[in-house]
Amino acid sequence: MTIQWFPGHMAKAKREVQEKLKLIDIVFELVDARIPMSSRNPMIDEILVNKPRIVLLNKADMADEEITKQWIAFFQNQHIKALAIDSQAGTGVKQIVAAAKEMLKPKFEKMAAKGIKNPRAMRALIVGIPNVGKSTLINRLAGKHIAKTGDKPGVTKAQQWIKVGKEMELLDTPGILWPKFEDEEVGLKLATTGAIKDTILNLQDVAVYALNFLKQHYPERLKERYSLVEIPEDIVALFDEIGKRRGCLMSGGLVDYDKVAELVLREIRTEKLGRLSFEKPNE
Ligand code: G4P
């Protein structure tokens, strides 16, 4: 579902997350491992203030492994714990509870020192922009299917705690935050990875961005996928080459650029070009 974010919605979403923060010990900030910066909320530090946080690089199964490692180091340099996970398959998900426990150890030790014999479970909240995998992760941690709340800030239902083993409880409704729209490149990256719907941006613009990116960063994959001996300099010529090879033609034999755009984006999103990362740290 695509959300129309208006200033009122953003303010409300921020307020809702801040309300939930009062109930919890730790935040799991979910981002897309292929675009860890572009899939973040631009005000996240201000919203979370000093809440303990773990950044979860989700969909790591689709990202370039080497670059994901660089991202983990990048966050680590900023004293932010980051983990690579695949919520769909469950890879890496077990580390989350262990990492949270480690991070909250001092707090719970303090509670123990005050004589609290049976400390309560750690309480956690997942936050992130739409489509980053929040519901998938909640279901994975819960070990069962929890209905997805309408992807609209303000669509509330009674909140419940989901037990994650004995040591953690998770709020069943995630905090939904907005991405950074002001930057055109952010929008193009979100669209390339499928985080925002194809109707919002011009499909051909997104495909031009994606193909130029592949040309620069993954030329061999591009050549191999579309059987290109050389990658044409000119982007229209590249559309033509792909269109002709893959039969994206209009009547009369002219290349149908919309079809090429659709094909290329579908193939990127379904990993036909392999695991791709669209952002590197410190770029
Ligand atoms: P949200 O609550 O943050 O809005 O995201 P949601 O869980 O609905 O996930 C958005 C899409 O991302 C879903 O695919 C979901 O299956 C997929 N996804 C979530 N986590 C991962 C992951 O770690 N790896 C991969 N490869 N995909 C992930 P969808 O196509 O929208 O729906 P469906 O295919 O599940 O029906």
Side-chain angles (χ1 to χ4, degrees):
M1 190 193 299
T2 307
I3 310 181
Q4 294 281 0
W5 290 99
F6 296 111
H9 285 140
M10 297 186 196
K12 196 163 185 181
K14 182 178 168 194
R15 257 197 325 271
E16 281 181 7
V17 169
Q18 284 173 331
E19 274 304 306
K20 288 176 178 171
L21 289 181
K22 293 179 191 161
L23 307 172
I24 57 122
D25 302 303
I26 190 162
V27 171
F28 300 135
E29 183 197 349
L30 212 53
V31 298
D32 186 320
R34 296 167 294 175
I35 46 169
M37 281 298 138
S38 296
S39 57
R40 277 189 121 181
N41 172 271
M43 287 171 73
I44 194 74
D45 292 335
E46 192 184 309
I47 294 171
L48 300 185
V49 204
N50 289 323
K51 229 359 130 178
R53 157 182 30 166
I54 297 176
V55 172
L56 300 175
L57 301 160
N58 193 39
K59 309 195 187 184
D61 55 305
M62 301 178 86
D64 194 316
E65 249 177 316
E66 195 42 50
I67 298 176
T68 300
K69 280 185 195 151
Q70 293 173 20
W71 277 110
I72 289 175
F74 166 85
F75 283 110
Q76 204 166 359
N77 282 339
Q78 296 179 37
H79 309 288
I80 297 175
K81 175 85 182 165
L83 298 171
I85 62 166
D86 166 1
S87 297
Q88 215 169 41
T91 318
V93 169
K94 277 216 178 99
Q95 310 167 73
I96 300 173
V97 179
K101 205 174 156 188
E102 179 68 28
M103 193 171 285
L104 294 174
K105 212 169 157 187
K107 179 174 178 174
F108 280 79
E109 277 177 357
K110 252 189 211 163
M111 278 160 65
K114 281 185 188 161
I116 300 169
K117 279 220 175 90
N118 293 312
R120 58 176 175 76
M122 304 177 278
R123 292 190 177 147
L125 170 72
I126 291 175
V127 303
I129 67 167
N131 274 318
V132 78
K134 298 180 295 300
S135 306
T136 310
L137 179 60
I138 291 174
N139 287 325
R140 183 49 72 184
L141 287 168
K144 59 184 176 195
H145 192 77
I146 309 287
K148 185 168 175 165
T149 334
D151 238 2
K152 281 204 178 98
V155 179
T156 46
K157 59 167 186 152
Q159 286 178 8
Q160 287 180 22
W161 294 101
I162 299 167
K163 285 204 180 329
V164 183
K166 281 191 184 138
E167 294 175 303
M168 195 165 90
E169 288 175 357
L170 183 68
L171 265 190
D172 70 339
T173 47
I176 303 166
L177 294 169
W178 62 95
K180 186 177 173 190
F181 305 106
E182 316 80 79
D183 184 334
E184 195 194 353
E185 199 171 336
V186 169
L188 290 166
K189 286 178 186 173
L190 288 167
T192 299
T193 53
I196 56 177
K197 288 274 177 294
D198 285 340
T199 46
I200 292 186
L201 293 179
N202 178 294
L203 204 64
Q204 289 186 26
D205 284 347
V206 180
V208 165
Y209 170 80
L211 283 171
N212 276 326
F213 183 88
L214 293 174
K215 216 168 113 175
Q216 202 181 340
H217 299 275
Y218 297 97
E220 292 312 315
R221 306 241 199 120
L222 190 58
K223 279 190 203 163
E224 192 186 60
R225 181 71 198 166
Y226 300 110
S227 318
L228 306 166
V229 181
E230 284 305 325
I231 303 173
E233 267 302 306
D234 178 46
I235 192 74
V236 179
L238 179 56
F239 266 69
D240 280 331
E241 290 287 328
I242 297 173
K244 279 185 221 149
R245 280 173 170 72
R246 300 298 291 274
C248 304
L249 304 173
M250 298 189 282
S251 55
L254 286 175
V255 169
D256 184 332
Y257 296 121
D258 274 337
K259 271 193 191 155
V260 175
E262 227 169 274
L263 172 103
V264 167
L265 293 173
R266 188 175 60 243
E267 296 201 334
I268 288 173
R269 293 171 191 164
T270 51
E271 284 183 271
K272 298 288 187 301
L273 287 105
R275 297 167 66 154
L276 302 169
S277 290
F278 294 90
E279 267 170 11
K280 279 185 188 162
N282 304 317
E283 249 175 3

